Coordinates of all heavy atoms in Angstrom, one line a residue:
M1 N 0.8 -1.2 0.0 CA 0.0 0.0 0.0 C 0.9 1.2 0.0 O 1.9 1.3 0.7 CB -0.9 0.0 1.2 CG -1.8 1.3 1.3 SD -2.8 1.4 2.7 CE -3.9 0.1 2.5
L2 N 0.5 2.2 -0.8 CA 1.2 3.5 -0.9 C 0.2 4.6 -0.5 O -0.8 4.7 -1.2 CB 1.8 3.6 -2.3 CG 2.5 4.9 -2.6 CD1 3.8 5.0 -1.7 CD2 2.9 4.9 -4.0
V3 N 0.5 5.4 0.5 CA -0.3 6.5 0.9 C 0.2 7.8 0.1 O 1.4 8.1 0.2 CB -0.3 6.7 2.4 CG1 -1.2 7.9 2.8 CG2 -0.7 5.5 3.1
L4 N -0.7 8.4 -0.6 CA -0.3 9.6 -1.4 C -1.1 10.8 -0.9 O -2.2 10.8 -0.5 CB -0.7 9.3 -2.8 CG -0.1 8.1 -3.5 CD1 -0.7 7.9 -4.8 CD2 1.4 8.3 -3.6
D5 N -0.5 12.0 -1.2 CA -1.2 13.2 -1.0 C -1.8 13.5 -2.4 O -1.7 12.7 -3.3 CB -0.3 14.4 -0.6 CG 0.9 14.6 -1.5 OD1 0.9 14.1 -2.6 OD2 1.8 15.3 -1.0
R6 N -2.4 14.6 -2.6 CA -3.0 14.9 -3.9 C -2.1 15.7 -4.9 O -2.5 16.4 -5.7 CB -4.3 15.8 -3.7 CG -5.3 15.0 -2.9 CD -6.1 14.1 -3.8 NE -7.1 13.5 -3.0 CZ -8.1 12.7 -3.6 NH1 -8.1 12.6 -4.9 NH2 -9.0 12.1 -2.8
H7 N -0.8 15.5 -4.7 CA 0.2 16.2 -5.6 C 0.0 15.7 -7.1 O -0.3 14.5 -7.3 CB 1.6 15.9 -5.2 CG 2.6 16.8 -5.8 ND1 3.2 16.6 -7.0 CD2 3.1 18.0 -5.4 CE1 4.0 17.5 -7.3 NE2 4.0 18.4 -6.3
K8 N 0.1 16.6 -8.0 CA -0.2 16.3 -9.4 C 0.7 15.2 -10.0 O 0.4 14.5 -10.9 CB 0.0 17.6 -10.3 CG -1.0 18.7 -10.0 CD -2.4 18.2 -10.4 CE -3.4 19.3 -10.1 NZ -4.8 18.8 -10.2
S9 N 2.0 15.1 -9.4 CA 2.9 14.1 -10.0 C 2.4 12.7 -9.7 O 2.7 11.8 -10.5 CB 4.3 14.2 -9.3 OG 4.2 14.0 -7.9
H10 N 1.5 12.5 -8.7 CA 0.9 11.2 -8.4 C -0.2 10.9 -9.4 O -0.7 9.8 -9.4 CB 0.4 11.1 -7.0 CG 1.5 11.4 -6.0 ND1 1.3 12.1 -4.8 CD2 2.8 11.2 -6.0 CE1 2.4 12.2 -4.1 NE2 3.4 11.7 -4.8
E11 N -0.7 11.8 -10.1 CA -1.8 11.6 -11.0 C -1.4 11.3 -12.5 O -2.3 11.1 -13.3 CB -2.7 12.9 -11.0 CG -3.2 13.3 -9.6 CD -4.1 12.3 -9.0 OE1 -4.8 11.6 -9.7 OE2 -4.1 12.2 -7.7
S12 N -0.1 11.3 -12.7 CA 0.3 11.1 -14.1 C 0.0 9.7 -14.6 O -0.1 8.7 -13.8 CB 1.9 11.3 -14.2 OG 2.6 10.3 -13.6
A13 N -0.2 9.5 -15.9 CA -0.6 8.2 -16.4 C 0.6 7.2 -16.2 O 0.3 6.1 -15.9 CB -0.9 8.4 -17.9
E14 N 1.8 7.7 -16.4 CA 3.0 6.8 -16.2 C 3.0 6.3 -14.8 O 3.2 5.1 -14.6 CB 4.2 7.6 -16.5 CG 5.5 6.8 -16.4 CD 6.7 7.6 -16.7 OE1 6.7 8.8 -17.0 OE2 7.8 7.0 -16.5
F15 N 2.8 7.1 -13.8 CA 2.8 6.7 -12.4 C 1.7 5.7 -12.1 O 1.9 4.7 -11.5 CB 2.7 7.9 -11.5 CG 2.9 7.6 -10.0 CD1 4.1 7.3 -9.5 CD2 1.8 7.6 -9.2 CE1 4.3 7.0 -8.2 CE2 1.9 7.3 -7.8 CZ 3.2 7.0 -7.3
Q16 N 0.5 6.0 -12.6 CA -0.7 5.2 -12.4 C -0.4 3.8 -13.0 O -0.8 2.7 -12.5 CB -1.9 5.8 -13.0 CG -2.4 7.0 -12.1 CD -3.6 7.6 -12.7 OE1 -4.4 7.0 -13.4 NE2 -3.8 8.9 -12.3
E17 N 0.2 3.7 -14.2 CA 0.5 2.5 -14.9 C 1.5 1.7 -14.0 O 1.3 0.5 -13.9 CB 1.0 2.7 -16.3 CG 0.0 3.1 -17.3 CD 0.6 3.4 -18.6 OE1 1.7 2.8 -19.0 OE2 0.1 4.2 -19.4
Y18 N 2.5 2.3 -13.5 CA 3.5 1.7 -12.7 C 2.8 1.0 -11.5 O 3.1 -0.2 -11.2 CB 4.6 2.7 -12.2 CG 5.6 2.0 -11.4 CD1 6.7 1.4 -12.0 CD2 5.5 1.9 -10.0 CE1 7.7 0.7 -11.2 CE2 6.5 1.3 -9.2 CZ 7.6 0.7 -9.9 OH 8.5 0.0 -9.1
Y19 N 2.1 1.7 -10.7 CA 1.5 1.0 -9.5 C 0.5 0.0 -9.8 O 0.4 -1.0 -9.1 CB 1.1 2.0 -8.4 CG -0.1 3.0 -8.7 CD1 -1.4 2.5 -8.7 CD2 0.2 4.3 -8.8 CE1 -2.4 3.4 -8.9 CE2 -0.9 5.2 -9.0 CZ -2.2 4.7 -9.1 OH -3.2 5.6 -9.3
K20 N -0.2 0.2 -10.9 CA -1.2 -0.9 -11.3 C -0.4 -2.1 -11.8 O -0.8 -3.3 -11.4 CB -2.1 -0.4 -12.4 CG -3.1 0.6 -11.8 CD -4.0 1.2 -12.9 CE -4.9 2.2 -12.4 NZ -5.7 2.9 -13.4
A21 N 0.7 -2.0 -12.5 CA 1.5 -3.1 -13.0 C 2.1 -3.8 -11.9 O 2.4 -5.0 -12.0 CB 2.5 -2.6 -14.0
H22 N 2.4 -3.2 -10.8 CA 3.1 -3.8 -9.7 C 2.2 -4.1 -8.5 O 2.7 -4.4 -7.4 CB 4.3 -2.9 -9.2 CG 5.4 -2.8 -10.2 ND1 5.4 -1.9 -11.3 CD2 6.5 -3.5 -10.4 CE1 6.4 -2.1 -12.0 NE2 7.1 -3.0 -11.5
N23 N 0.9 -4.1 -8.8 CA -0.1 -4.4 -7.7 C 0.0 -3.6 -6.5 O -0.1 -4.1 -5.3 CB -0.1 -5.9 -7.4 CG -0.5 -6.8 -8.6 OD1 -1.4 -6.4 -9.4 ND2 0.2 -7.8 -8.8
I24 N 0.3 -2.3 -6.6 CA 0.4 -1.4 -5.5 C -0.9 -0.8 -5.3 O -1.5 -0.1 -6.2 CB 1.5 -0.4 -5.7 CG1 2.9 -1.1 -5.9 CG2 1.6 0.6 -4.6 CD1 4.0 -0.1 -6.3
I25 N -1.4 -0.9 -4.1 CA -2.7 -0.3 -3.7 C -2.4 1.2 -3.3 O -1.5 1.4 -2.4 CB -3.4 -1.0 -2.6 CG1 -3.7 -2.4 -3.1 CG2 -4.7 -0.3 -2.1 CD1 -4.2 -3.4 -2.0
T26 N -3.1 2.1 -3.8 CA -2.8 3.5 -3.4 C -4.0 4.0 -2.6 O -5.2 3.7 -2.8 CB -2.7 4.4 -4.7 OG1 -3.8 4.3 -5.5 CG2 -1.4 4.0 -5.5
L27 N -3.7 4.8 -1.6 CA -4.6 5.5 -0.8 C -4.3 7.0 -0.9 O -3.2 7.4 -0.6 CB -4.5 5.0 0.6 CG -5.3 5.7 1.7 CD1 -6.8 5.4 1.4 CD2 -4.9 5.3 3.1
R28 N -5.3 7.7 -1.3 CA -5.1 9.2 -1.5 C -5.7 9.9 -0.3 O -6.9 9.7 0.0 CB -5.7 9.7 -2.8 CG -5.0 9.2 -4.0 CD -5.6 9.7 -5.3 NE -4.8 9.3 -6.4 CZ -4.9 8.2 -7.1 NH1 -5.7 7.2 -6.6 NH2 -4.2 7.9 -8.1
L29 N -4.9 10.7 0.3 CA -5.4 11.5 1.5 C -6.2 12.7 1.0 O -5.9 13.3 -0.1 CB -4.3 12.0 2.3 CG -3.4 10.9 3.0 CD1 -2.3 11.5 3.7 CD2 -4.3 10.1 4.0
P30 N -7.2 13.1 1.7 CA -7.9 14.3 1.3 C -7.0 15.6 1.3 O -6.0 15.6 2.1 CB -9.0 14.5 2.3 CG -9.1 13.2 3.0 CD -7.8 12.5 2.9
P31 N -7.3 16.5 0.5 CA -6.4 17.8 0.5 C -6.4 18.4 1.9 O -7.5 18.4 2.6 CB -7.1 18.7 -0.5 CG -8.0 17.8 -1.3 CD -8.3 16.6 -0.5
H32 N -5.3 19.0 2.2 CA -5.2 19.8 3.5 C -5.5 18.9 4.7 O -6.1 19.5 5.7 CB -6.0 21.0 3.4 CG -5.9 21.8 2.2 ND1 -4.7 22.5 1.8 CD2 -6.7 22.0 1.1 CE1 -4.8 23.0 0.7 NE2 -6.0 22.8 0.2
S33 N -5.1 17.7 4.7 CA -5.5 16.8 5.9 C -4.2 16.4 6.7 O -4.3 15.6 7.6 CB -6.2 15.6 5.4 OG -5.4 14.7 4.7
S34 N -3.1 16.9 6.3 CA -1.8 16.5 7.0 C -1.8 16.8 8.5 O -1.2 16.1 9.3 CB -0.6 17.0 6.3 OG -0.6 18.4 6.4
H35 N -2.6 17.9 8.9 CA -2.6 18.2 10.3 C -3.4 17.2 11.1 O -3.2 17.0 12.3 CB -3.3 19.6 10.5 CG -4.8 19.6 10.1 ND1 -5.2 19.5 8.7 CD2 -5.9 19.6 10.8 CE1 -6.5 19.5 8.7 NE2 -7.0 19.6 9.9
L36 N -4.1 16.3 10.4 CA -4.8 15.2 11.1 C -4.0 14.0 11.1 O -4.1 13.2 12.1 CB -6.2 14.9 10.3 CG -7.2 16.1 10.3 CD1 -8.3 15.7 9.4 CD2 -7.7 16.4 11.7
T37 N -3.2 13.8 10.1 CA -2.4 12.5 10.1 C -1.0 12.7 10.6 O -0.4 11.7 11.0 CB -2.3 12.0 8.6 OG1 -1.7 13.0 7.8 CG2 -3.6 11.6 8.1
Q38 N -0.4 13.9 10.6 CA 0.9 14.1 11.0 C 1.2 13.8 12.5 O 2.3 13.4 12.9 CB 1.4 15.5 10.7 CG 2.9 15.7 10.9 CD 3.3 17.0 10.4 OE1 2.5 17.9 10.0 NE2 4.6 17.2 10.4
P39 N 0.2 14.0 13.4 CA 0.5 13.8 14.8 C 1.0 12.3 15.1 O 1.8 12.1 15.9 CB -0.8 14.0 15.5 CG -1.5 15.1 14.7 CD -1.1 14.7 13.3
L40 N 0.5 11.4 14.3 CA 0.9 10.0 14.4 C 2.4 9.9 14.0 O 3.2 9.2 14.6 CB 0.1 9.0 13.6 CG -1.3 8.7 14.2 CD1 -2.0 7.8 13.2 CD2 -1.1 8.0 15.5
D41 N 2.7 10.6 12.9 CA 4.1 10.5 12.4 C 5.1 11.1 13.4 O 6.1 10.6 13.7 CB 4.2 11.3 11.1 CG 5.4 11.1 10.4 OD1 6.0 10.0 10.5 OD2 5.9 12.0 9.7
V42 N 4.7 12.2 14.1 CA 5.5 12.8 15.1 C 5.6 12.1 16.4 O 6.6 11.8 16.9 CB 5.1 14.3 15.3 CG1 5.9 15.0 16.4 CG2 5.2 15.1 14.0
R43 N 4.4 11.8 16.9 CA 4.3 11.1 18.3 C 4.8 9.7 18.3 O 5.6 9.3 19.1 CB 2.9 11.1 18.8 CG 2.4 12.5 19.2 CD 2.9 12.7 20.7 NE 2.2 13.8 21.1 CZ 2.7 14.6 22.0 NH1 3.7 14.3 22.7 NH2 2.0 15.7 22.4
C44 N 4.3 8.9 17.4 CA 4.6 7.4 17.4 C 5.7 7.0 16.5 O 6.7 6.4 16.9 CB 3.3 6.6 17.1 SG 1.9 6.9 18.1
F45 N 5.6 7.4 15.3 CA 6.4 6.8 14.3 C 7.8 7.4 14.2 O 8.8 6.7 13.9 CB 5.8 6.8 12.9 CG 4.5 6.0 12.9 CD1 3.3 6.6 12.5 CD2 4.4 4.7 13.4 CE1 2.1 5.9 12.5 CE2 3.2 4.0 13.4 CZ 2.1 4.6 12.9
S46 N 8.0 8.6 14.7 CA 9.4 9.2 14.7 C 10.2 8.5 15.8 O 11.3 8.3 15.6 CB 9.3 10.7 14.9 OG 8.8 11.1 16.1
V47 N 9.5 8.2 16.9 CA 10.2 7.5 18.0 C 10.5 6.1 17.5 O 11.7 5.6 17.8 CB 9.3 7.4 19.3 CG1 9.9 6.6 20.4 CG2 8.9 8.8 19.7
L48 N 9.6 5.4 16.9 CA 9.9 4.1 16.3 C 11.0 4.1 15.3 O 11.9 3.3 15.3 CB 8.6 3.5 15.7 CG 8.7 2.2 15.0 CD1 9.2 1.1 15.9 CD2 7.4 1.8 14.3
K49 N 11.0 5.1 14.4 CA 12.1 5.3 13.4 C 13.4 5.4 14.1 O 14.4 4.8 13.6 CB 11.8 6.5 12.5 CG 12.7 6.7 11.4 CD 12.4 8.0 10.6 CE 13.4 8.3 9.6 NZ 13.0 9.4 8.8
R50 N 13.5 6.2 15.1 CA 14.8 6.4 15.8 C 15.3 5.1 16.5 O 16.5 4.7 16.4 CB 14.8 7.6 16.8 CG 14.8 8.9 16.2 CD 15.0 10.0 17.2 NE 14.1 10.0 18.3 CZ 12.9 10.7 18.3 NH1 12.5 11.3 17.2 NH2 12.1 10.6 19.4
A51 N 14.3 4.4 17.1 CA 14.7 3.2 17.8 C 15.1 2.1 16.8 O 16.1 1.4 17.0 CB 13.5 2.6 18.6
Y52 N 14.4 2.1 15.6 CA 14.8 1.1 14.6 C 16.2 1.5 14.0 O 17.0 0.6 13.8 CB 13.8 1.1 13.4 CG 14.1 0.2 12.3 CD1 14.0 -1.1 12.4 CD2 14.6 0.8 11.1 CE1 14.3 -2.0 11.4 CE2 14.9 -0.1 10.0 CZ 14.8 -1.4 10.2 OH 15.1 -2.3 9.1
G53 N 16.5 2.8 13.8 CA 17.8 3.2 13.4 C 18.9 2.8 14.3 O 20.0 2.4 13.9
R54 N 18.6 2.8 15.6 CA 19.6 2.4 16.6 C 19.9 0.9 16.4 O 21.0 0.4 16.5 CB 19.2 2.7 18.0 CG 19.3 4.2 18.4 CD 19.1 4.4 19.9 NE 17.8 4.0 20.4 CZ 16.7 4.8 20.4 NH1 16.8 6.0 19.9 NH2 15.6 4.3 20.9
Q55 N 18.8 0.1 16.2 CA 19.0 -1.3 16.0 C 19.8 -1.6 14.8 O 20.7 -2.5 14.8 CB 17.6 -2.0 15.9 CG 16.8 -1.9 17.2 CD 17.6 -2.6 18.4 OE1 18.1 -3.6 18.3 NE2 17.6 -1.9 19.5
I56 N 19.5 -0.9 13.7 CA 20.3 -1.1 12.4 C 21.7 -0.8 12.6 O 22.6 -1.4 12.0 CB 19.6 -0.3 11.3 CG1 18.2 -0.9 11.0 CG2 20.5 -0.4 10.0 CD1 18.1 -2.4 10.7
K57 N 22.0 0.3 13.4 CA 23.4 0.7 13.6 C 24.2 -0.5 14.3 O 25.4 -0.7 14.0 CB 23.5 1.9 14.5 CG 23.2 3.2 13.7 CD 23.3 4.4 14.6 CE 23.0 5.6 13.9 NZ 23.0 6.8 14.7
T58 N 23.5 -1.3 15.1 CA 24.2 -2.4 15.7 C 24.6 -3.4 14.7 O 25.7 -4.1 14.7 CB 23.4 -3.1 16.8 OG1 22.2 -3.6 16.3 CG2 23.1 -2.1 18.0
F59 N 23.7 -3.6 13.7 CA 24.1 -4.5 12.6 C 25.2 -4.0 11.8 O 26.1 -4.7 11.4 CB 22.9 -4.8 11.6 CG 21.8 -5.6 12.2 CD1 20.5 -5.1 12.2 CD2 22.0 -6.8 12.8 CE1 19.4 -5.9 12.7 CE2 21.0 -7.5 13.4 CZ 19.7 -7.1 13.3
I60 N 25.2 -2.7 11.5 CA 26.3 -2.1 10.7 C 27.6 -2.2 11.5 O 28.7 -2.5 10.9 CB 26.0 -0.6 10.4 CG1 24.8 -0.5 9.5 CG2 27.2 0.1 9.8 CD1 24.2 0.8 9.3
K61 N 27.6 -2.0 12.8 CA 28.8 -2.2 13.6 C 29.4 -3.6 13.5 O 30.5 -3.9 13.7 CB 28.6 -1.8 15.0 CG 28.4 -0.3 15.2 CD 28.2 0.1 16.6 CE 27.9 1.6 16.8 NZ 27.6 2.0 18.1
A62 N 28.4 -4.6 13.3 CA 28.8 -6.0 13.2 C 29.1 -6.4 11.8 O 29.2 -7.5 11.4 CB 27.7 -6.9 13.8
H63 N 29.3 -5.3 10.9 CA 29.6 -5.5 9.5 C 28.5 -6.3 8.7 O 28.8 -7.0 7.7 CB 30.9 -6.2 9.3 CG 32.0 -5.5 10.0 ND1 32.5 -4.3 9.5 CD2 32.7 -5.8 11.1 CE1 33.5 -3.9 10.3 NE2 33.6 -4.7 11.3
I64 N 27.3 -6.1 9.1 CA 26.1 -6.6 8.4 C 25.6 -5.5 7.6 O 25.0 -4.6 8.1 CB 25.0 -7.2 9.3 CG1 25.6 -8.4 10.1 CG2 23.8 -7.7 8.5 CD1 24.7 -8.8 11.2
N65 N 25.8 -5.6 6.3 CA 25.4 -4.4 5.4 C 24.2 -4.7 4.6 O 23.7 -3.8 3.9 CB 26.6 -4.1 4.4 CG 27.8 -3.7 5.2 OD1 27.7 -2.9 6.2 ND2 29.0 -4.1 4.8
H66 N 23.7 -5.9 4.6 CA 22.5 -6.3 3.8 C 21.5 -6.8 4.9 O 21.7 -7.7 5.6 CB 22.8 -7.4 2.8 CG 21.5 -7.8 2.1 ND1 20.9 -7.1 1.1 CD2 20.8 -8.9 2.2 CE1 19.9 -7.7 0.7 NE2 19.8 -8.8 1.3
I67 N 20.4 -6.1 5.0 CA 19.3 -6.4 5.9 C 18.3 -7.3 5.3 O 17.6 -6.9 4.3 CB 18.6 -5.1 6.5 CG1 19.7 -4.2 7.1 CG2 17.6 -5.5 7.5 CD1 20.4 -4.7 8.2
T68 N 18.3 -8.6 5.7 CA 17.3 -9.5 5.2 C 16.0 -9.4 6.0 O 15.9 -8.6 6.9 CB 17.8 -10.9 5.3 OG1 17.9 -11.3 6.7 CG2 19.1 -11.1 4.6
K69 N 15.0 -10.1 5.6 CA 13.7 -10.1 6.4 C 14.0 -10.5 7.8 O 13.3 -10.0 8.7 CB 12.7 -11.0 5.7 CG 12.2 -10.5 4.4 CD 11.2 -11.5 3.8 CE 10.7 -11.0 2.5 NZ 9.8 -12.0 1.9
V70 N 14.9 -11.4 8.1 CA 15.2 -11.9 9.4 C 15.7 -10.7 10.3 O 15.2 -10.5 11.4 CB 16.1 -13.1 9.4 CG1 16.6 -13.4 10.8 CG2 15.5 -14.3 8.7
E71 N 16.7 -10.1 9.7 CA 17.3 -8.9 10.5 C 16.3 -7.8 10.6 O 16.3 -7.2 11.7 CB 18.6 -8.4 9.8 CG 19.8 -9.3 9.9 CD 20.0 -10.2 8.7 OE1 19.2 -10.1 7.7 OE2 20.9 -11.0 8.8
F72 N 15.5 -7.6 9.6 CA 14.5 -6.5 9.7 C 13.6 -6.8 10.9 O 13.3 -5.9 11.7 CB 13.7 -6.4 8.4 CG 12.5 -5.6 8.6 CD1 12.5 -4.2 8.6 CD2 11.2 -6.2 8.8 CE1 11.4 -3.4 8.8 CE2 10.1 -5.4 9.0 CZ 10.2 -4.0 9.0
F73 N 13.0 -8.0 10.9 CA 12.1 -8.4 12.0 C 12.7 -8.4 13.4 O 12.1 -8.0 14.4 CB 11.3 -9.7 11.7 CG 10.3 -9.5 10.7 CD1 10.4 -10.1 9.4 CD2 9.2 -8.7 10.9 CE1 9.4 -9.9 8.5 CE2 8.2 -8.5 10.0 CZ 8.3 -9.1 8.8
L74 N 14.0 -8.8 13.5 CA 14.7 -8.8 14.7 C 14.8 -7.3 15.2 O 14.5 -7.0 16.4 CB 16.1 -9.4 14.6 CG 16.1 -10.9 14.5 CD1 17.5 -11.4 14.1 CD2 15.6 -11.6 15.7
A75 N 15.3 -6.4 14.3 CA 15.5 -5.0 14.7 C 14.1 -4.4 14.9 O 14.0 -3.6 15.9 CB 16.2 -4.3 13.6
F76 N 13.1 -4.6 14.1 CA 11.8 -4.0 14.3 C 11.2 -4.4 15.5 O 10.6 -3.6 16.2 CB 10.9 -4.3 13.0 CG 9.6 -3.5 13.1 CD1 9.6 -2.2 12.7 CD2 8.5 -4.1 13.6 CE1 8.4 -1.5 12.8 CE2 7.3 -3.5 13.7 CZ 7.2 -2.1 13.3
T77 N 11.2 -5.7 15.9 CA 10.6 -6.1 17.1 C 11.2 -5.4 18.3 O 10.4 -5.0 19.2 CB 10.7 -7.7 17.2 OG1 10.1 -8.3 16.1 CG2 10.1 -8.2 18.5
V78 N 12.5 -5.4 18.4 CA 13.1 -4.7 19.5 C 12.7 -3.2 19.6 O 12.3 -2.6 20.6 CB 14.6 -4.8 19.5 CG1 15.3 -3.9 20.6 CG2 15.0 -6.3 19.7
A79 N 12.8 -2.6 18.4 CA 12.4 -1.1 18.3 C 10.9 -0.9 18.7 O 10.6 0.1 19.3 CB 12.7 -0.6 16.9
Y80 N 10.1 -1.8 18.2 CA 8.6 -1.6 18.5 C 8.4 -1.7 20.0 O 7.7 -0.9 20.5 CB 7.9 -2.7 17.7 CG 6.4 -2.6 17.9 CD1 5.6 -1.7 17.1 CD2 5.7 -3.3 18.9 CE1 4.2 -1.6 17.3 CE2 4.4 -3.2 19.1 CZ 3.6 -2.4 18.3 OH 2.3 -2.3 18.4
K81 N 9.0 -2.7 20.6 CA 8.8 -2.9 22.0 C 9.3 -1.8 22.8 O 8.8 -1.4 23.9 CB 9.4 -4.3 22.5 CG 8.6 -5.5 22.0 CD 9.2 -6.8 22.4 CE 8.5 -8.0 21.9 NZ 9.1 -9.2 22.2
E82 N 10.4 -1.2 22.3 CA 11.0 -0.1 23.0 C 10.3 1.2 22.8 O 10.2 2.1 23.8 CB 12.4 0.1 22.4 CG 13.3 1.2 23.0 CD 14.6 1.3 22.3 OE1 15.3 0.2 22.1 OE2 15.0 2.4 21.8
S83 N 9.6 1.4 21.7 CA 9.0 2.7 21.4 C 7.5 2.8 21.5 O 7.0 3.9 21.8 CB 9.5 3.2 20.0 OG 9.0 2.3 19.1
I84 N 6.8 1.8 21.2 CA 5.3 1.8 21.2 C 4.8 1.4 22.5 O 4.8 0.2 22.8 CB 4.7 1.0 20.0 CG1 5.3 1.4 18.7 CG2 3.2 1.1 20.0 CD1 5.0 2.8 18.2
T85 N 4.4 2.3 23.3 CA 3.9 2.0 24.7 C 2.5 2.7 24.9 O 2.1 3.5 24.1 CB 4.9 2.6 25.7 OG1 4.9 4.0 25.6 CG2 6.3 2.0 25.6
A86 N 1.9 2.2 25.9 CA 0.6 2.8 26.2 C 0.7 4.3 26.6 O -0.1 5.1 26.3 CB 0.0 2.1 27.4

């Protein structure tokens, strides 16, 4: 799934063909609605992003330069438990 704003570049025929050809589901946000959706990005997901980045740095320090699904889920699980709280 790809969440889009209403920017004109997302409406081009070439772009629409690409996501249809690759089975990408698009969700278009209503105009001028970022003030409603951004609080999640700032409150929850920015904390999760920083925690995930710290986990990835530990892989990099261990000379792991390619993140497979296994490493992703290991890092994400720790970051999620660390950052998403009641």
Side-chain angles (χ1 to χ4, degrees):
M1 179 184 292
L2 180 62
V3 180
L4 303 170
D5 58 14
R6 296 278 180 171
H7 194 271
K8 294 291 181 195
S9 65
H10 303 146
E11 305 295 330
S12 73
E14 181 181 359
F15 186 74
Q16 290 179 20
E17 286 178 30
Y18 181 85
Y19 65 73
K20 287 177 184 175
H22 292 86
N23 296 319
I24 299 171
I25 299 168
T26 58
L27 173 67
R28 290 180 176 85
L29 296 175
H32 311 292
S33 66
S34 64
H35 66 287
L36 299 172
T37 58
Q38 191 174 5
L40 285 177
D41 192 32
V42 173
R43 284 277 189 206
C44 299
F45 301 125
S46 66
V47 177
L48 175 61
K49 181 180 177 180
R50 285 193 304 272
Y52 178 74
R54 286 192 299 273
Q55 294 302 313
I56 294 303
K57 283 182 184 178
T58 62
F59 289 131
I60 293 169
K61 288 178 183 177
H63 303 289
I64 299 171
N65 298 321
H66 177 74
I67 305 299
T68 66
K69 289 179 184 179
V70 172
E71 284 95 7
F72 167 79
F73 283 115
L74 289 171
F76 184 81
T77 300
V78 171
Y80 181 85
K81 289 177 180 177
E82 181 182 309
S83 62
I84 305 296
T85 62

